[in-house]
PDB file of all heavy atoms in Angstrom:
ATOM      1  N   ILE A  19     -56.438  17.307-121.639  1.00 94.00           N
ATOM      2  CA  ILE A  19     -56.474  18.334-120.567  1.00 94.00           C
ATOM      3  C   ILE A  19     -56.747  19.644-121.287  1.00 94.00           C
ATOM      4  O   ILE A  19     -55.923  20.156-122.045  1.00 94.00           O
ATOM      5  CB  ILE A  19     -55.120  18.393-119.806  1.00 94.00           C
ATOM      6  CG1 ILE A  19     -54.845  17.046-119.127  1.00 94.00           C
ATOM      7  CG2 ILE A  19     -55.175  19.506-118.768  1.00 94.00           C
ATOM      8  CD1 ILE A  19     -53.496  16.943-118.431  1.00 94.00           C
ATOM      9  N   GLN A  20     -57.950  20.139-121.092  1.00 94.00           N
ATOM     10  CA  GLN A  20     -58.410  21.314-121.833  1.00 94.00           C
ATOM     11  C   GLN A  20     -57.777  22.609-121.353  1.00 94.00           C
ATOM     12  O   GLN A  20     -57.582  23.545-122.105  1.00 94.00           O
ATOM     13  CB  GLN A  20     -59.930  21.432-121.781  1.00 94.00           C
ATOM     14  CG  GLN A  20     -60.596  20.305-122.532  1.00 94.00           C
ATOM     15  CD  GLN A  20     -62.109  20.444-122.515  1.00 94.00           C
ATOM     16  OE1 GLN A  20     -62.677  21.309-121.828  1.00 94.00           O
ATOM     17  NE2 GLN A  20     -62.779  19.580-123.264  1.00 94.00           N
ATOM     18  N   ARG A  21     -57.500  22.655-120.062  1.00 95.00           N
ATOM     19  CA  ARG A  21     -56.920  23.876-119.499  1.00 95.00           C
ATOM     20  C   ARG A  21     -55.743  23.531-118.614  1.00 95.00           C
ATOM     21  O   ARG A  21     -55.908  22.849-117.584  1.00 95.00           O
ATOM     22  CB  ARG A  21     -57.959  24.633-118.669  1.00 95.00           C
ATOM     23  CG  ARG A  21     -59.083  25.166-119.453  1.00 95.00           C
ATOM     24  CD  ARG A  21     -60.051  25.904-118.608  1.00 95.00           C
ATOM     25  NE  ARG A  21     -61.361  25.783-119.221  1.00 95.00           N
ATOM     26  CZ  ARG A  21     -62.459  26.125-118.666  1.00 95.00           C
ATOM     27  NH1 ARG A  21     -62.476  26.625-117.468  1.00 95.00           N
ATOM     28  NH2 ARG A  21     -63.603  25.969-119.289  1.00 95.00           N
ATOM     29  N   GLY A  22     -54.604  24.003-118.960  1.00 96.00           N
ATOM     30  CA  GLY A  22     -53.446  23.840-118.084  1.00 96.00           C
ATOM     31  C   GLY A  22     -53.541  24.859-116.959  1.00 96.00           C
ATOM     32  O   GLY A  22     -54.276  25.827-117.040  1.00 96.00           O
ATOM     33  N   TYR A  23     -52.795  24.597-115.911  1.00 97.00           N
ATOM     34  CA  TYR A  23     -52.789  25.580-114.821  1.00 97.00           C
ATOM     35  C   TYR A  23     -51.505  25.397-113.988  1.00 97.00           C
ATOM     36  O   TYR A  23     -50.769  24.411-114.095  1.00 97.00           O
ATOM     37  CB  TYR A  23     -54.011  25.434-113.933  1.00 97.00           C
ATOM     38  CG  TYR A  23     -54.107  24.142-113.143  1.00 97.00           C
ATOM     39  CD1 TYR A  23     -53.599  24.046-111.855  1.00 97.00           C
ATOM     40  CD2 TYR A  23     -54.708  23.016-113.692  1.00 97.00           C
ATOM     41  CE1 TYR A  23     -53.675  22.865-111.140  1.00 97.00           C
ATOM     42  CE2 TYR A  23     -54.792  21.841-112.993  1.00 97.00           C
ATOM     43  CZ  TYR A  23     -54.280  21.769-111.702  1.00 97.00           C
ATOM     44  OH  TYR A  23     -54.372  20.593-111.001  1.00 97.00           O
ATOM     45  N   ILE A  24     -51.276  26.385-113.125  1.00 98.00           N
ATOM     46  CA  ILE A  24     -50.140  26.319-112.225  1.00 98.00           C
ATOM     47  C   ILE A  24     -50.678  26.693-110.829  1.00 98.00           C
ATOM     48  O   ILE A  24     -51.530  27.569-110.682  1.00 98.00           O
ATOM     49  CB  ILE A  24     -49.013  27.273-112.653  1.00 98.00           C
ATOM     50  CG1 ILE A  24     -47.783  27.052-111.784  1.00 98.00           C
ATOM     51  CG2 ILE A  24     -49.456  28.713-112.613  1.00 98.00           C
ATOM     52  CD1 ILE A  24     -46.541  27.710-112.333  1.00 98.00           C
ATOM     53  N   ASP A  25     -50.214  25.955-109.825  1.00 98.00           N
ATOM     54  CA  ASP A  25     -50.623  26.168-108.435  1.00 98.00           C
ATOM     55  C   ASP A  25     -49.362  26.296-107.610  1.00 98.00           C
ATOM     56  O   ASP A  25     -48.524  25.366-107.624  1.00 98.00           O
ATOM     57  CB  ASP A  25     -51.489  25.006-107.961  1.00 98.00           C
ATOM     58  CG  ASP A  25     -52.054  25.237-106.566  1.00 98.00           C
ATOM     59  OD1 ASP A  25     -52.294  26.405-106.217  1.00 98.00           O
ATOM     60  OD2 ASP A  25     -52.221  24.249-105.831  1.00 98.00           O
ATOM     61  N   VAL A  26     -49.179  27.408-106.930  1.00 98.00           N
ATOM     62  CA  VAL A  26     -47.992  27.659-106.129  1.00 98.00           C
ATOM     63  C   VAL A  26     -48.415  27.959-104.691  1.00 98.00           C
ATOM     64  O   VAL A  26     -49.276  28.802-104.473  1.00 98.00           O
ATOM     65  CB  VAL A  26     -47.161  28.818-106.708  1.00 98.00           C
ATOM     66  CG1 VAL A  26     -45.938  29.094-105.848  1.00 98.00           C
ATOM     67  CG2 VAL A  26     -46.760  28.532-108.144  1.00 98.00           C
ATOM     68  N   ASP A  27     -47.814  27.258-103.758  1.00 98.00           N
ATOM     69  CA  ASP A  27     -48.075  27.508-102.327  1.00 98.00           C
ATOM     70  C   ASP A  27     -46.771  27.695-101.606  1.00 98.00           C
ATOM     71  O   ASP A  27     -45.741  27.122-101.967  1.00 98.00           O
ATOM     72  CB  ASP A  27     -48.766  26.287-101.701  1.00 98.00           C
ATOM     73  CG  ASP A  27     -50.144  26.033-102.269  1.00 98.00           C
ATOM     74  OD1 ASP A  27     -50.951  26.988-102.325  1.00 98.00           O
ATOM     75  OD2 ASP A  27     -50.426  24.898-102.668  1.00 98.00           O
ATOM     76  N   GLU A  28     -46.817  28.527-100.579  1.00 98.00           N
ATOM     77  CA  GLU A  28     -45.649  28.729 -99.703  1.00 98.00           C
ATOM     78  C   GLU A  28     -46.141  28.873 -98.265  1.00 98.00           C
ATOM     79  O   GLU A  28     -47.039  29.663 -97.983  1.00 98.00           O
ATOM     80  CB  GLU A  28     -44.853  29.955-100.129  1.00 98.00           C
ATOM     81  CG  GLU A  28     -43.615  30.151 -99.292  1.00 98.00           C
ATOM     82  CD  GLU A  28     -42.734  31.283 -99.786  1.00 98.00           C
ATOM     83  OE1 GLU A  28     -42.604  31.444-101.013  1.00 98.00           O
ATOM     84  OE2 GLU A  28     -42.178  32.011 -98.937  1.00 98.00           O
ATOM     85  N   TYR A  29     -45.547  28.074 -97.396  1.00 97.00           N
ATOM     86  CA  TYR A  29     -45.871  28.108 -95.966  1.00 97.00           C
ATOM     87  C   TYR A  29     -44.636  28.419 -95.158  1.00 97.00           C
ATOM     88  O   TYR A  29     -43.562  27.911 -95.452  1.00 97.00           O
ATOM     89  CB  TYR A  29     -46.452  26.776 -95.500  1.00 97.00           C
ATOM     90  CG  TYR A  29     -47.684  26.370 -96.235  1.00 97.00           C
ATOM     91  CD1 TYR A  29     -47.673  25.519 -97.326  1.00 97.00           C
ATOM     92  CD2 TYR A  29     -48.952  26.870 -95.818  1.00 97.00           C
ATOM     93  CE1 TYR A  29     -48.817  25.145 -97.986  1.00 97.00           C
ATOM     94  CE2 TYR A  29     -50.113  26.494 -96.481  1.00 97.00           C
ATOM     95  CZ  TYR A  29     -50.022  25.641 -97.564  1.00 97.00           C
ATOM     96  OH  TYR A  29     -51.175  25.286 -98.227  1.00 97.00           O
ATOM     97  N   THR A  30     -44.801  29.259 -94.150  1.00 97.00           N
ATOM     98  CA  THR A  30     -43.703  29.608 -93.262  1.00 97.00           C
ATOM     99  C   THR A  30     -44.096  29.124 -91.875  1.00 97.00           C
ATOM    100  O   THR A  30     -45.182  29.430 -91.378  1.00 97.00           O
ATOM    101  CB  THR A  30     -43.499  31.138 -93.222  1.00 97.00           C
ATOM    102  OG1 THR A  30     -43.240  31.578 -94.578  1.00 97.00           O
ATOM    103  CG2 THR A  30     -42.334  31.516 -92.346  1.00 97.00           C
ATOM    104  N   ILE A  31     -43.207  28.340 -91.272  1.00 96.00           N
ATOM    105  CA  ILE A  31     -43.447  27.743 -89.955  1.00 96.00           C
ATOM    106  C   ILE A  31     -42.398  28.283 -88.988  1.00 96.00           C
ATOM    107  O   ILE A  31     -41.196  28.042 -89.187  1.00 96.00           O
ATOM    108  CB  ILE A  31     -43.376  26.202 -90.020  1.00 96.00           C
ATOM    109  CG1 ILE A  31     -44.389  25.699 -91.066  1.00 96.00           C
ATOM    110  CG2 ILE A  31     -43.622  25.590 -88.643  1.00 96.00           C
ATOM    111  CD1 ILE A  31     -44.131  24.303 -91.519  1.00 96.00           C
ATOM    112  N   LYS A  32     -42.828  28.972 -87.957  1.00 96.00           N
ATOM    113  CA  LYS A  32     -41.916  29.491 -86.930  1.00 96.00           C
ATOM    114  C   LYS A  32     -41.642  28.422 -85.895  1.00 96.00           C
ATOM    115  O   LYS A  32     -42.570  27.806 -85.372  1.00 96.00           O
ATOM    116  CB  LYS A  32     -42.511  30.727 -86.247  1.00 96.00           C
ATOM    117  CG  LYS A  32     -42.749  31.908 -87.151  1.00 96.00           C
ATOM    118  CD  LYS A  32     -41.468  32.626 -87.387  1.00 96.00           C
ATOM    119  CE  LYS A  32     -41.783  33.892 -88.194  1.00 96.00           C
ATOM    120  NZ  LYS A  32     -40.647  34.693 -88.456  1.00 96.00           N
ATOM    121  N   ILE A  33     -40.378  28.195 -85.567  1.00 95.00           N
ATOM    122  CA  ILE A  33     -39.988  27.228 -84.577  1.00 95.00           C
ATOM    123  C   ILE A  33     -39.664  27.971 -83.284  1.00 95.00           C
ATOM    124  O   ILE A  33     -38.970  29.007 -83.314  1.00 95.00           O
ATOM    125  CB  ILE A  33     -38.737  26.463 -85.047  1.00 95.00           C
ATOM    126  CG1 ILE A  33     -38.954  25.823 -86.414  1.00 95.00           C
ATOM    127  CG2 ILE A  33     -38.277  25.432 -84.026  1.00 95.00           C
ATOM    128  CD1 ILE A  33     -40.042  24.796 -86.450  1.00 95.00           C
ATOM    129  N   PRO A  34     -40.169  27.514 -82.128  1.00 94.00           N
ATOM    130  CA  PRO A  34     -39.842  28.167 -80.856  1.00 94.00           C
ATOM    131  C   PRO A  34     -38.336  28.244 -80.637  1.00 94.00           C
ATOM    132  O   PRO A  34     -37.590  27.391 -81.089  1.00 94.00           O
ATOM    133  CB  PRO A  34     -40.529  27.265 -79.794  1.00 94.00           C
ATOM    134  CG  PRO A  34     -41.622  26.573 -80.548  1.00 94.00           C
ATOM    135  CD  PRO A  34     -41.086  26.369 -81.915  1.00 94.00           C
ATOM    136  N   GLU A  35     -37.920  29.253 -79.905  1.00 90.00           N
ATOM    137  CA  GLU A  35     -36.481  29.509 -79.657  1.00 90.00           C
ATOM    138  C   GLU A  35     -35.745  28.314 -79.083  1.00 90.00           C
ATOM    139  O   GLU A  35     -34.616  28.041 -79.409  1.00 90.00           O
ATOM    140  CB  GLU A  35     -36.312  30.715 -78.739  1.00 90.00           C
ATOM    141  CG  GLU A  35     -36.738  32.034 -79.359  1.00 90.00           C
ATOM    142  CD  GLU A  35     -35.815  32.509 -80.450  1.00 90.00           C
ATOM    143  OE1 GLU A  35     -34.612  32.197 -80.366  1.00 90.00           O
ATOM    144  OE2 GLU A  35     -36.304  33.149 -81.391  1.00 90.00           O
ATOM    145  N   ASN A  36     -36.371  27.579 -78.162  1.00 91.00           N
ATOM    146  CA  ASN A  36     -35.680  26.495 -77.496  1.00 91.00           C
ATOM    147  C   ASN A  36     -35.786  25.150 -78.235  1.00 91.00           C
ATOM    148  O   ASN A  36     -35.395  24.114 -77.702  1.00 91.00           O
ATOM    149  CB  ASN A  36     -36.199  26.327 -76.048  1.00 91.00           C
ATOM    150  CG  ASN A  36     -37.696  26.128 -75.989  1.00 91.00           C
ATOM    151  OD1 ASN A  36     -38.391  26.404 -76.981  1.00 91.00           O
ATOM    152  ND2 ASN A  36     -38.209  25.702 -74.882  1.00 91.00           N
ATOM    153  N   TYR A  37     -36.281  25.165 -79.474  1.00 93.00           N
ATOM    154  CA  TYR A  37     -36.376  23.963 -80.290  1.00 93.00           C
ATOM    155  C   TYR A  37     -35.266  23.985 -81.356  1.00 93.00           C
ATOM    156  O   TYR A  37     -34.799  25.034 -81.734  1.00 93.00           O
ATOM    157  CB  TYR A  37     -37.732  23.875 -81.017  1.00 93.00           C
ATOM    158  CG  TYR A  37     -38.863  23.444 -80.130  1.00 93.00           C
ATOM    159  CD1 TYR A  37     -39.254  24.174 -79.008  1.00 93.00           C
ATOM    160  CD2 TYR A  37     -39.585  22.304 -80.447  1.00 93.00           C
ATOM    161  CE1 TYR A  37     -40.290  23.770 -78.223  1.00 93.00           C
ATOM    162  CE2 TYR A  37     -40.639  21.899 -79.662  1.00 93.00           C
ATOM    163  CZ  TYR A  37     -41.008  22.634 -78.557  1.00 93.00           C
ATOM    164  OH  TYR A  37     -42.063  22.235 -77.777  1.00 93.00           O
ATOM    165  N   SER A  38     -34.906  22.804 -81.834  1.00 90.00           N
ATOM    166  CA  SER A  38     -33.966  22.723 -82.934  1.00 90.00           C
ATOM    167  C   SER A  38     -34.489  21.730 -83.963  1.00 90.00           C
ATOM    168  O   SER A  38     -35.209  20.791 -83.628  1.00 90.00           O
ATOM    169  CB  SER A  38     -32.565  22.303 -82.470  1.00 90.00           C
ATOM    170  OG  SER A  38     -32.627  20.995 -81.923  1.00 90.00           O
ATOM    171  N   VAL A  39     -34.146  21.976 -85.202  1.00 91.00           N
ATOM    172  CA  VAL A  39     -34.575  21.100 -86.299  1.00 91.00           C
ATOM    173  C   VAL A  39     -33.494  20.045 -86.532  1.00 91.00           C
ATOM    174  O   VAL A  39     -32.356  20.409 -86.845  1.00 91.00           O
ATOM    175  CB  VAL A  39     -34.848  21.904 -87.567  1.00 91.00           C
ATOM    176  CG1 VAL A  39     -35.218  21.016 -88.712  1.00 91.00           C
ATOM    177  CG2 VAL A  39     -35.936  22.931 -87.306  1.00 91.00           C
ATOM    178  N   GLU A  40     -33.834  18.771 -86.399  1.00 92.00           N
ATOM    179  CA  GLU A  40     -32.859  17.714 -86.619  1.00 92.00           C
ATOM    180  C   GLU A  40     -32.702  17.387 -88.103  1.00 92.00           C
ATOM    181  O   GLU A  40     -31.595  17.077 -88.549  1.00 92.00           O
ATOM    182  CB  GLU A  40     -33.289  16.444 -85.888  1.00 92.00           C
ATOM    183  CG  GLU A  40     -33.232  16.580 -84.384  1.00 92.00           C
ATOM    184  CD  GLU A  40     -33.625  15.272 -83.701  1.00 92.00           C
ATOM    185  OE1 GLU A  40     -33.817  14.241 -84.386  1.00 92.00           O
ATOM    186  OE2 GLU A  40     -33.755  15.299 -82.479  1.00 92.00           O
ATOM    187  N   ALA A  41     -33.795  17.437 -88.850  1.00 94.00           N
ATOM    188  CA  ALA A  41     -33.736  17.103 -90.273  1.00 94.00           C
ATOM    189  C   ALA A  41     -34.945  17.690 -90.995  1.00 94.00           C
ATOM    190  O   ALA A  41     -35.968  17.968 -90.396  1.00 94.00           O
ATOM    191  CB  ALA A  41     -33.739  15.597 -90.446  1.00 94.00           C
ATOM    192  N   LEU A  42     -34.773  17.872 -92.293  1.00 95.00           N
ATOM    193  CA  LEU A  42     -35.853  18.312 -93.153  1.00 95.00           C
ATOM    194  C   LEU A  42     -36.030  17.263 -94.246  1.00 95.00           C
ATOM    195  O   LEU A  42     -35.104  16.582 -94.618  1.00 95.00           O
ATOM    196  CB  LEU A  42     -35.493  19.653 -93.811  1.00 95.00           C
ATOM    197  CG  LEU A  42     -35.477  20.877 -92.941  1.00 95.00           C
ATOM    198  CD1 LEU A  42     -34.970  22.093 -93.725  1.00 95.00           C
ATOM    199  CD2 LEU A  42     -36.849  21.199 -92.384  1.00 95.00           C
ATOM    200  N   PRO A  43     -37.239  17.140 -94.790  1.00 96.00           N
ATOM    201  CA  PRO A  43     -37.445  16.245 -95.943  1.00 96.00           C
ATOM    202  C   PRO A  43     -36.592  16.727 -97.126  1.00 96.00           C
ATOM    203  O   PRO A  43     -36.249  17.900 -97.232  1.00 96.00           O
ATOM    204  CB  PRO A  43     -38.924  16.388 -96.249  1.00 96.00           C
ATOM    205  CG  PRO A  43     -39.533  16.913 -95.010  1.00 96.00           C
ATOM    206  CD  PRO A  43     -38.511  17.763 -94.359  1.00 96.00           C
ATOM    207  N   LYS A  44     -36.273  15.794 -98.004  1.00 97.00           N
ATOM    208  CA  LYS A  44     -35.521  16.139 -99.198  1.00 97.00           C
ATOM    209  C   LYS A  44     -36.407  16.890-100.188  1.00 97.00           C
ATOM    210  O   LYS A  44     -37.616  16.697-100.234  1.00 97.00           O
ATOM    211  CB  LYS A  44     -35.013  14.859 -99.882  1.00 97.00           C
ATOM    212  CG  LYS A  44     -33.940  14.163 -99.109  1.00 97.00           C
ATOM    213  CD  LYS A  44     -33.438  12.977 -99.864  1.00 97.00           C
ATOM    214  CE  LYS A  44     -32.342  12.285 -99.061  1.00 97.00           C
ATOM    215  NZ  LYS A  44     -31.789  11.127 -99.797  1.00 97.00           N
ATOM    216  N   ASN A  45     -35.775  17.796-100.951  1.00 98.00           N
ATOM    217  CA  ASN A  45     -36.467  18.478-102.016  1.00 98.00           C
ATOM    218  C   ASN A  45     -36.776  17.461-103.109  1.00 98.00           C
ATOM    219  O   ASN A  45     -36.005  16.541-103.373  1.00 98.00           O
ATOM    220  CB  ASN A  45     -35.631  19.607-102.582  1.00 98.00           C
ATOM    221  CG  ASN A  45     -35.399  20.711-101.553  1.00 98.00           C
ATOM    222  OD1 ASN A  45     -36.135  20.822-100.603  1.00 98.00           O
ATOM    223  ND2 ASN A  45     -34.367  21.482-101.765  1.00 98.00           N
ATOM    224  N   VAL A  46     -37.947  17.613-103.772  1.00 98.00           N
ATOM    225  CA  VAL A  46     -38.378  16.668-104.775  1.00 98.00           C
ATOM    226  C   VAL A  46     -38.833  17.422-106.016  1.00 98.00           C
ATOM    227  O   VAL A  46     -39.549  18.426-105.908  1.00 98.00           O
ATOM    228  CB  VAL A  46     -39.558  15.792-104.264  1.00 98.00           C
ATOM    229  CG1 VAL A  46     -40.091  14.897-105.355  1.00 98.00           C
ATOM    230  CG2 VAL A  46     -39.135  14.987-103.047  1.00 98.00           C
ATOM    231  N   THR A  47     -38.430  16.923-107.180  1.00 98.00           N
ATOM    232  CA  THR A  47     -38.947  17.433-108.445  1.00 98.00           C
ATOM    233  C   THR A  47     -39.299  16.219-109.338  1.00 98.00           C
ATOM    234  O   THR A  47     -38.492  15.358-109.547  1.00 98.00           O
ATOM    235  CB  THR A  47     -37.876  18.294-109.182  1.00 98.00           C
ATOM    236  OG1 THR A  47     -37.527  19.391-108.365  1.00 98.00           O
ATOM    237  CG2 THR A  47     -38.421  18.808-110.514  1.00 98.00           C
ATOM    238  N   GLU A  48     -40.535  16.204-109.766  1.00 98.00           N
ATOM    239  CA  GLU A  48     -41.048  15.152-110.670  1.00 98.00           C
ATOM    240  C   GLU A  48     -41.547  15.845-111.911  1.00 98.00           C
ATOM    241  O   GLU A  48     -42.311  16.801-111.838  1.00 98.00           O
ATOM    242  CB  GLU A  48     -42.144  14.349-110.021  1.00 98.00           C
ATOM    243  CG  GLU A  48     -41.761  13.532-108.818  1.00 98.00           C
ATOM    244  CD  GLU A  48     -40.890  12.360-109.190  1.00 98.00           C
ATOM    245  OE1 GLU A  48     -40.987  11.853-110.313  1.00 98.00           O
ATOM    246  OE2 GLU A  48     -40.095  11.940-108.321  1.00 98.00           O
ATOM    247  N   GLU A  49     -41.105  15.333-113.074  1.00 97.00           N
ATOM    248  CA  GLU A  49     -41.527  15.944-114.326  1.00 97.00           C
ATOM    249  C   GLU A  49     -41.872  14.858-115.334  1.00 97.00           C
ATOM    250  O   GLU A  49     -41.175  13.846-115.447  1.00 97.00           O
ATOM    251  CB  GLU A  49     -40.400  16.827-114.894  1.00 97.00           C
ATOM    252  CG  GLU A  49     -40.816  17.648-116.069  1.00 97.00           C
ATOM    253  CD  GLU A  49     -39.771  18.662-116.463  1.00 97.00           C
ATOM    254  OE1 GLU A  49     -38.819  18.910-115.696  1.00 97.00           O
ATOM    255  OE2 GLU A  49     -39.922  19.257-117.539  1.00 97.00           O
ATOM    256  N   ASN A  50     -42.976  15.028-116.032  1.00 96.00           N
ATOM    257  CA  ASN A  50     -43.371  14.124-117.123  1.00 96.00           C
ATOM    258  C   ASN A  50     -44.122  14.934-118.171  1.00 96.00           C
ATOM    259  O   ASN A  50     -44.181  16.146-118.079  1.00 96.00           O
ATOM    260  CB  ASN A  50     -44.144  12.921-116.599  1.00 96.00           C
ATOM    261  CG  ASN A  50     -45.447  13.299-115.928  1.00 96.00           C
ATOM    262  OD1 ASN A  50     -46.065  14.298-116.280  1.00 96.00           O
ATOM    263  ND2 ASN A  50     -45.842  12.522-114.956  1.00 96.00           N
ATOM    264  N   LYS A  51     -44.720  14.244-119.143  1.00 94.00           N
ATOM    265  CA  LYS A  51     -45.389  14.942-120.243  1.00 94.00           C
ATOM    266  C   LYS A  51     -46.629  15.714-119.784  1.00 94.00           C
ATOM    267  O   LYS A  51     -47.047  16.622-120.478  1.00 94.00           O
ATOM    268  CB  LYS A  51     -45.740  13.957-121.351  1.00 94.00           C
ATOM    269  CG  LYS A  51     -46.735  12.891-120.942  1.00 94.00           C
ATOM    270  CD  LYS A  51     -46.975  11.925-122.095  1.00 94.00           C
ATOM    271  CE  LYS A  51     -47.870  10.781-121.673  1.00 94.00           C
ATOM    272  NZ  LYS A  51     -48.051   9.817-122.757  1.00 94.00           N
ATOM    273  N   PHE A  52     -47.198  15.383-118.646  1.00 96.00           N
ATOM    274  CA  PHE A  52     -48.383  16.054-118.141  1.00 96.00           C
ATOM    275  C   PHE A  52     -48.063  17.326-117.384  1.00 96.00           C
ATOM    276  O   PHE A  52     -48.909  18.206-117.241  1.00 96.00           O
ATOM    277  CB  PHE A  52     -49.212  15.127-117.231  1.00 96.00           C
ATOM    278  CG  PHE A  52     -49.618  13.862-117.911  1.00 96.00           C
ATOM    279  CD1 PHE A  52     -49.048  12.662-117.514  1.00 96.00           C
ATOM    280  CD2 PHE A  52     -50.569  13.865-118.924  1.00 96.00           C
ATOM    281  CE1 PHE A  52     -49.430  11.482-118.124  1.00 96.00           C
ATOM    282  CE2 PHE A  52     -50.950  12.672-119.532  1.00 96.00           C
ATOM    283  CZ  PHE A  52     -50.380  11.482-119.136  1.00 96.00           C
ATOM    284  N   GLY A  53     -46.850  17.439-116.862  1.00 97.00           N
ATOM    285  CA  GLY A  53     -46.490  18.633-116.085  1.00 97.00           C
ATOM    286  C   GLY A  53     -45.351  18.387-115.138  1.00 97.00           C
ATOM    287  O   GLY A  53     -44.566  17.471-115.298  1.00 97.00           O
ATOM    288  N   THR A  54     -45.305  19.242-114.116  1.00 98.00           N
ATOM    289  CA  THR A  54     -44.207  19.220-113.136  1.00 98.00           C
ATOM    290  C   THR A  54     -44.744  19.388-111.719  1.00 98.00           C
ATOM    291  O   THR A  54     -45.677  20.159-111.506  1.00 98.00           O
ATOM    292  CB  THR A  54     -43.207  20.365-113.409  1.00 98.00           C
ATOM    293  OG1 THR A  54     -42.802  20.293-114.777  1.00 98.00           O
ATOM    294  CG2 THR A  54     -42.010  20.324-112.507  1.00 98.00           C
ATOM    295  N   TYR A  55     -44.136  18.654-110.775  1.00 98.00           N
ATOM    296  CA  TYR A  55     -44.448  18.814-109.345  1.00 98.00           C
ATOM    297  C   TYR A  55     -43.163  19.016-108.633  1.00 98.00           C
ATOM    298  O   TYR A  55     -42.185  18.251-108.835  1.00 98.00           O
ATOM    299  CB  TYR A  55     -45.174  17.567-108.813  1.00 98.00           C
ATOM    300  CG  TYR A  55     -45.508  17.663-107.350  1.00 98.00           C
ATOM    301  CD1 TYR A  55     -46.546  18.471-106.927  1.00 98.00           C
ATOM    302  CD2 TYR A  55     -44.774  16.992-106.399  1.00 98.00           C
ATOM    303  CE1 TYR A  55     -46.862  18.561-105.580  1.00 98.00           C
ATOM    304  CE2 TYR A  55     -45.073  17.096-105.054  1.00 98.00           C
ATOM    305  CZ  TYR A  55     -46.139  17.861-104.644  1.00 98.00           C
ATOM    306  OH  TYR A  55     -46.417  17.970-103.330  1.00 98.00           O
TER     307      TYR A  55
END
């Protein structure tokens, strides 16, 4: 891998007032010799 890099994204999602969130996906971290996700 000649050039390492980092890519960071952030999304904000507005939920309507009369909606409720039942569950969210679990946070995930994967790390190995090639990098991190």
Side-chain angles (χ1 to χ4, degrees):
I19 299 175
Q20 293 181 352
R21 294 182 209 169
Y23 67 92
I24 188 167
D25 185 31
V26 179
D27 296 309
E28 182 173 321
Y29 299 96
T30 303
I31 303 163
K32 297 280 186 178
I33 305 298
E35 293 289 330
N36 55 344
Y37 282 61
S38 64
V39 176
E40 292 182 8
L42 290 174
K44 291 183 179 182
N45 295 339
V46 174
T47 301
E48 294 289 334
E49 188 170 349
N50 62 31
K51 62 183 176 183
F52 303 110
T54 306
Y55 180 75

